[in-house]
Amino acid sequence: MILDYSEIINKLSNLNLSHYSRNRNFIDGDVTMLSPYISRGLISTKIVLNTVLSQKINLAKIEKFIQELAWRDYWQIIWKHNDINVDMRHPQLNVINNGVPKAILNAKTGVIAIDNAIKKLYKEGYIHNHLRMYISSVVCNIAKCHWKIPAQWFYYYLIDGDWGSNALSWQWICGTNSSKKYYANQKNINLFCHTNQKNTFLDKDYSVLRNEAPPKILTCCEKPQLKPFSIESNLYIDKNKPSLIYNYYNVDPIWRKNLDANKILLIEPSVFKKYPVSKKNIDFLISLSKNIDKIQLFFGEFDELKKKLYNSEIYFKEHPLNNNYTGNCDNRDWMFSTQKPFPSFFKFWQNYKSEIGL
């Protein structure tokens, strides 16, 4: 992974999106790999959008890419206005298991593309978006597990984990946040993953998959062990300066860059108890934060930190996980002018795409 901010911006500035719309769904397609930096708030969807627009590309040819950026903002807006930890629009139907199938956790489903993707998740913290959908569909709609615990398992390992996008995507797959459930069969997987498997539990017509009981290999489920972590704080406060508070969703090195301030990366144990992530992901966060000059680290709760700041003026960026912060809240760098929670992405997109000339 690239960790240097200038190199990441250079990567962004040199994106080649000419084949993105045509092949992004293939496992070896032209994806940008910018997601970890957007999720950690190093760069924003707005910065990505403006960089792409500055290249004077025919917008019709890159509309799909811009839509994918807009999906990120859309999920964040839904999270901002709703409790996304419960079934959103409909109860999940036909749930017969909680936890995650052991065959999924152990990458031993027998579906080569899925097993390889899970191994890559554990090793690298990344899975191609189409495979995320396949795995979610198998867990929720084939194994008939409730979405919440599997989504937590995914989030724990994903280096680009964003709870808004993650939780709401799982809910879209299982039908609690959409009009129908998403299914993929072996033929579809073979096409986009360049495999040629037959006779798996997914090698059936969709009409059969929708009505079958879970295959035996998926019936043994368990709750994954998501280990907590701890980190030593490194903190010296100049009480005569204001304080900028960074966190898991904001390590933006150009945010209030010219303000002479205490710069503190806050890692709250209570947040990660509710939304666990791996130590590998925290290490990635800390590495990215080093792009911020004189950044310090505090492992503890906001209220504890506030006591150490004396009467320092506090600044932070808005986020659903920042509701316990007090001080000056800066708006996030949204793509569009307002953040109205439309009932569907289609309505959201139709309302705002004209702002960028589409």
Side-chain angles (χ1 to χ4, degrees):
M1 295 292 293
I2 303 171
L3 298 174
D4 180 74
Y5 181 73
S6 60
E7 291 183 32
I8 295 164
I9 293 300
N10 184 60
K11 175 183 174 69
L12 170 60
S13 300
N14 289 285
L15 283 183
N16 181 356
L17 300 173
S18 57
H19 302 298
Y20 179 86
S21 297
R22 185 170 70 252
N23 68 19
R24 60 176 291 273
N25 284 331
F26 289 87
I27 194 172
D28 56 351
D30 289 337
V31 295
T32 67
M33 299 302 293
L34 291 173
S35 183
Y37 311 115
I38 298 173
S39 296
R40 297 290 67 80
L42 188 84
I43 56 177
S44 66
T45 52
K46 184 74 170 181
I47 286 175
V48 176
L49 174 65
N50 287 344
T51 303
V52 170
L53 294 180
S54 71
Q55 296 173 355
K56 308 299 182 183
I57 305 172
N58 184 330
L59 290 184
K61 293 183 178 180
I62 60 169
E63 181 173 358
K64 185 60 182 175
F65 175 76
I66 298 174
Q67 274 189 342
E68 291 304 307
L69 288 178
W71 267 108
R72 286 180 169 273
D73 272 21
Y74 176 70
W75 289 142
Q76 290 296 311
I77 292 165
I78 297 299
W79 189 9
K80 182 177 177 179
H81 292 275
N82 297 275
D83 180 2
I84 64 170
N85 293 310
V86 298
D87 294 2
M88 287 285 296
R89 292 160 55 187
H90 321 284
Q92 185 177 341
L93 300 177
N94 301 320
V95 173
I96 61 175
N97 286 314
N98 282 301
V100 186
K102 288 180 69 175
I104 290 284
L105 295 176
N106 296 330
K108 292 184 177 180
T109 66
V111 180
I112 292 171
I114 287 177
D115 292 344
N116 287 344
I118 295 168
K119 292 173 185 175
K120 185 172 184 177
L121 172 66
Y122 292 149
K123 183 179 180 181
E124 302 177 15
Y126 177 78
I127 297 184
H128 185 279
N129 186 61
H130 222 163
L131 276 153
R132 298 184 196 202
M133 295 169 64
Y134 295 153
I135 293 169
S136 301
S137 180
V138 167
V139 172
C140 293
N141 302 334
I142 305 298
K144 303 188 188 307
C145 296
H146 190 264
W147 66 270
K148 178 70 180 297
I149 290 174
Q152 290 176 318
W153 163 68
F154 242 34
Y155 181 72
Y156 180 84
Y157 288 102
L158 285 171
I159 204 162
D160 64 350
D162 177 308
W163 184 246
S165 296
N166 186 60
L168 290 167
S169 293
W170 278 80
Q171 293 213 49
W172 184 86
I173 294 290
C174 74
T176 62
N177 192 37
S178 58
S179 58
K180 60 181 180 180
K181 297 183 177 187
Y182 170 83
Y183 287 85
N185 64 10
Q186 189 66 56
K187 182 179 179 181
N188 184 281
I189 293 171
N190 286 343
L191 172 63
F192 289 104
C193 299
H194 307 304
T195 53
N196 190 30
Q197 271 198 284
K198 295 182 179 180
N199 302 318
T200 69
F201 62 83
L202 291 175
D203 193 18
K204 299 173 182 178
D205 290 335
Y206 288 112
S207 58
V208 177
L209 287 177
R210 291 189 185 98
N211 294 290
E212 273 196 331
K216 186 176 180 180
I217 195 170
L218 300 179
T219 55
C220 182
C221 297
E222 64 182 36
K223 186 174 181 179
Q225 298 300 308
L226 308 180
K227 299 177 181 178
F229 62 85
S230 63
I231 302 172
E232 289 189 14
S233 298
N234 171 27
L235 196 63
Y236 169 77
I237 300 299
D238 185 336
K239 63 182 180 181
N240 297 312
K241 293 181 179 181
S243 297
L244 299 178
I245 309 301
Y246 300 82
N247 56 34
Y248 196 61
Y249 285 93
N250 173 29
V251 286
D252 179 358
I254 64 172
W255 171 57
R256 291 189 174 266
K257 182 177 181 180
N258 296 322
L259 181 64
D260 185 17
N262 301 298
K263 299 175 181 179
I264 304 161
L265 176 60
L266 174 60
I267 299 178
E268 290 188 282
S270 61
V271 170
F272 293 100
K273 182 178 181 180
K274 187 173 182 180
Y275 302 97
V277 301
S278 70
K279 181 61 164 53
K280 182 186 292 186
N281 290 355
I282 292 297
D283 290 343
F284 177 66
L285 169 75
I286 292 171
S287 295
L288 288 182
S289 76
K290 292 178 181 177
N291 289 286
I292 302 165
D293 187 41
K294 298 179 180 178
I295 190 73
Q296 300 182 72
L297 190 152
F298 183 73
F299 181 70
E301 300 303 320
F302 176 84
D303 288 344
E304 297 175 60
L305 175 61
K306 188 175 180 181
K307 291 176 183 177
K308 296 178 181 294
L309 297 180
Y310 306 98
N311 293 316
S312 172
E313 194 82 4
I314 296 173
Y315 296 87
F316 56 91
K317 277 191 182 183
E318 67 169 314
H319 191 272
L321 296 183
N322 293 354
N323 291 333
N324 60 315
Y325 290 15
T326 57
N328 301 287
C329 181
D330 287 348
N331 291 331
R332 292 177 61 180
D333 201 10
W334 300 99
M335 287 176 63
F336 301 119
S337 57
T338 59
Q339 293 82 54
K340 181 179 176 182
F342 284 87
S344 71
F345 176 77
F346 176 77
K347 291 182 179 179
F348 172 79
W349 179 247
Q350 290 300 116
N351 190 76
Y352 289 124
K353 68 179 186 177
S354 61
E355 290 188 12
I356 55 177
L358 282 166

